[in-house]
């Protein structure tokens, strides 16, 4: 996967919005591949949800697990929009991408897709650029396995990827890809889109 190209597309996508939660998303198709994009924070509603981080049970199901309450609220407002596209039988691959706030939604979307399309589990790939921590506490083995093709992309010292703090019980799941190592950037600067683009470009050329 060309992550520089994917991140650039994530930044420039023409997003639609769910009024209830101001959730911003974009759905695209290329042949039998479904692309799902989620936008960074773009208003006060997003920030209220970002900071609403007490953990809440994700679903009433046999394998109970917990996630960030604010991000869950936003993603659930998108499920009815995404569901018919994810369910299309001619979809053979799903690529999910989000940045910052949108990366947290991408993570929840990844789990949703794997759970609802187990036939495609090996062809569902999620990428969270500058992704905050979303999952709280212990994950059952079966649930943890759903994230094996999800990648948290962390640039340098990106502060957002360290929030909420681990001492509050939050953790990353899936894989962590470190980019921008050795750059003299602080935690806030490391999260900026232009610095992600620069680091991804250098990774490609390396």
């Amino acid at each position: 996967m060309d992550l520089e190209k994917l991140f650039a597309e994530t930044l420039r996508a023409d997003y639609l919005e769910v009024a209830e939660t101001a959730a911003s998303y974009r759905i695209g198709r290329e042949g039998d591949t479904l692309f799902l994009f989620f936008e960074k924070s773009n208003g006060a509603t997003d920030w209220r949800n970002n900071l609403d981080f007490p953990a809440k049970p994700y679903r009433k199901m046999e394998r109970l697990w917990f996630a960030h309450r604010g991000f869950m609220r936003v993603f659930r407002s998108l499920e009815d929009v995404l569901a018919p596209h994810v369910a299309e039988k001619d979809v053979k691959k799903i690529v999910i991408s989000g940045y910052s706030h949108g990366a947290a939604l991408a993570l929840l979307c990844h789990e949703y897709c794997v759970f609802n399309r187990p036939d495609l589990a090996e062809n569902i790939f999620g990428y969270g650029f500058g992704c905050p921590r979303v999952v709280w506490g212990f994950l059952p083995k079966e649930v943890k396995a759903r994230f094996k093709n999800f990648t948290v992309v962390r640039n340098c010292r990106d502060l957002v990827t360290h929030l909420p703090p681990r001492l509050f019980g939050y953790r990353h799941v899936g894989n962590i890809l470190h980019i921008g190592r050795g750059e003299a950037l602080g935690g806030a600067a490391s999260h900026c889109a232009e610095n992600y683009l620069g680091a991804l470009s250098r990774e490609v050329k390396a």
Side-chain angles (χ1 to χ4, degrees), residues 147-200:
F147 295 100
K148 73 173 187 176
N149 288 333
F150 184 85
T151 301
V152 173
V153 184
R154 171 186 282 165
N155 181 40
C156 198
R157 301 174 181 84
D158 187 344
L159 177 63
V160 172
T161 64
H162 294 280
L163 298 174
R166 278 190 297 185
L167 63 87
F168 290 172
Y170 283 90
R171 63 179 65 195
H172 282 300
V173 290
N175 312 289
I176 299 182
L177 173 63
H178 295 270
I179 62 173
R181 290 183 183 273
E183 296 295 321
L185 296 172
S190 295
H191 188 67
C192 292
E194 58 268 29
N195 290 326
Y196 265 87
L197 282 171
L200 289 166

Side-chain angles (χ1 to χ4, degrees), residues 41-72:
S41 301
N42 62 5
T45 301
D46 283 346
W47 278 106
R48 283 195 296 271
N49 286 313
N50 292 351
L51 297 173
D52 184 12
F53 60 78
K56 183 177 180 180
Y58 183 67
R59 284 194 184 102
K60 293 181 179 178
M61 56 171 44
E62 183 180 351
R63 300 297 184 211
L64 183 66
W65 59 286
F66 293 79
H68 184 293
R69 184 170 66 185
F71 295 140
M72 283 173 48

Side-chain angles (χ1 to χ4, degrees), residues 1-3 6-7 10 26-30 32-38 91-98 106 109-110 113 120 123-127 129 149-150:
M1 176 63 66
D2 185 337
L3 294 186
L6 183 66
F7 184 58
T10 305
R26 187 69 184 176
I27 300 169
R29 279 286 296 267
E30 289 185 13
D32 59 8
T33 301
L34 174 67
F35 288 88
L36 302 173
F37 296 98
F38 300 94
V91 168
K92 303 302 181 186
K93 180 179 179 180
I94 302 176
V95 177
I96 307 154
S97 178
C109 182
H110 181 94
C113 290
L120 294 183
N123 286 311
I124 297 173
F125 302 93
Y127 300 90
F129 299 91
N149 288 333
F150 184 85

